[in-house]
Amino acid sequence: MAAPFEMDDIDRRIIAALQVDGRRSFQRLADDLGVPASSVRYRTKRLEDAGILQIVGIANPLAIGFDRLAMIGIRVTPGTARAVCAALAELPETSYVIHTTGRFDVMAEVICEDVPHFIDMLNGRIAAISGVVSTESFFVLEAHKLSYGWGVGSVRPAIEEPGGV
């Protein structure tokens, strides 16, 4: 078993700064944090390798031509939730898959081009996953907030964008 990943205040400040601006250069981060650029580069790579940090561009799917964004609640056969989650995570349409409590055992966010694509994905592929008992779909009508920047403990973003964060 791998040793727990130890993060310090600088790691948390790097994460917080990159959540504000993922394109910020290592040199600018280093200047703002008061550490060498080589340390920022090394720490960022270490955080990525550990699966703690992922730097990606996030687009609003509804704004770029995907007509169907939905959350799907899934009930599964007892003992199969993790396997169902793993199978769902392999589908290119899923952007978010969680094992949860409550009315559903699993929740998945899916992004499809149109209704026929959604029907094929739901009835053809999700329903065929071993362990899936039933599904309930919740279509997104409008996206009012798409945010992937949450806090890292008590650390606020170390660098504020012009006009504030």
Side-chain angles (χ1 to χ4, degrees), residues 19 54 56-59 61 95-96 109 111 145-151:
Q19 286 180 328
Q54 180 182 17
V56 297
I58 304 294
S95 57
Y96 184 76
E109 178 183 62
I111 302 169
K145 181 178 181 179
L146 293 173
S147 177
Y148 297 91
W150 41 85

Side-chain angles (χ1 to χ4, degrees), residues 147-159:
S147 177
Y148 297 91
W150 41 85
V152 283
S154 61
V155 177
R156 292 187 31 140
I159 300 97

Side-chain angles (χ1 to χ4, degrees), residues 111-142:
I111 302 169
C112 296
E113 296 169 2
D114 51 27
V115 172
H117 182 195
F118 179 80
I119 291 169
D120 173 66
M121 187 268 321
L122 182 66
N123 295 334
R125 288 184 280 141
I126 291 179
I129 295 171
S130 179
V132 171
V133 173
S134 66
T135 63
E136 185 174 341
S137 301
F138 305 89
F139 281 112
V140 174
L141 302 177
E142 295 177 324

Side-chain angles (χ1 to χ4, degrees), residues 76-123:
V76 302
T77 304
T80 65
R82 286 188 174 153
V84 169
C85 285
L88 288 166
E90 294 297 318
L91 297 176
E93 293 86 357
T94 58
S95 57
Y96 184 76
V97 177
I98 58 171
H99 181 191
T100 187
T101 62
R103 189 168 146 192
F104 300 105
D105 304 298
V106 175
M107 293 289 294
E109 178 183 62
V110 299
I111 302 169
C112 296
E113 296 169 2
D114 51 27
V115 172
H117 182 195
F118 179 80
I119 291 169
D120 173 66
M121 187 268 321
L122 182 66
N123 295 334

